[in-house]
Amino acid sequence: MNKKEFIETLIDMGGCGAEAETWDRGWDDAIGEVIGIAEELDEPEKVVVPQFVADWIEDYRKKTLVELINDAVYSSDEDSKCFRRWFHEEMGFESNYSEFISRAWLDGYEMAR
């Protein structure tokens, strides 16, 4: 369940329009407070990748994250070389392949415009 789905679930749980000074009013107020807290939660920021990197990641979903990271770092195939070239141009040499790929794999990614 993501943040949006969680908030929608909370909205469905509350909102009975109870009169003041009743237990139901307390329920509505509590749900409202929890919704407010949920809206402030941070979600992992998705990395931004070009189409060829997104395609590459999706191809590896049939394999494992470890294989993807190993190929990104060590392979001499053309896809790996293109990824490393793009990564260094966009992210800089001090950035970490493994962290970037793991975030894209686990948190998702957005397509570059």
Side-chain angles (χ1 to χ4, degrees):
M1 174 182 298
N2 64 31
K3 177 179 165 180
K4 182 180 177 198
E5 293 168 334
F6 178 61
I7 291 171
E8 288 171 0
T9 300
L10 290 170
I11 289 170
D12 290 344
M13 292 172 64
C16 63
E19 299 291 323
E21 308 281 329
T22 67
W23 184 89
D24 289 339
R25 178 74 257 145
W27 174 261
D28 282 355
D29 290 347
I31 293 294
E33 289 293 320
V34 173
I35 289 170
I37 293 168
E39 289 172 339
E40 293 177 14
L41 289 173
D42 289 334
E43 289 188 337
E45 190 172 319
K46 294 180 179 180
V47 297
V48 178
V49 300
Q51 183 66 53
F52 84 91
V53 174
D55 293 343
W56 195 49
I57 290 169
E58 293 309 315
D59 286 345
Y60 272 85
R61 292 223 187 257
K62 300 171 194 127
K63 299 179 184 180
T64 68
L65 175 58
V66 171
E67 288 175 291
L68 174 57
I69 291 170
N70 281 338
D71 282 355
V73 175
Y74 301 113
S75 179
S76 61
D77 69 34
E78 195 57 36
D79 287 340
S80 299
K81 289 178 183 177
C82 285
F83 170 75
R84 287 191 297 267
R85 190 175 316 112
W86 168 82
F87 187 85
H88 287 301
E89 289 171 3
E90 291 296 315
M91 310 304 279
F93 283 102
E94 69 282 349
S95 296
N96 183 317
Y97 294 131
S98 300
E99 181 181 341
F100 181 86
I101 292 170
S102 296
R103 287 187 56 214
W105 183 282
L106 297 170
D107 299 335
Y109 52 84
E110 294 180 6
M111 298 297 297
R113 298 176 211 245

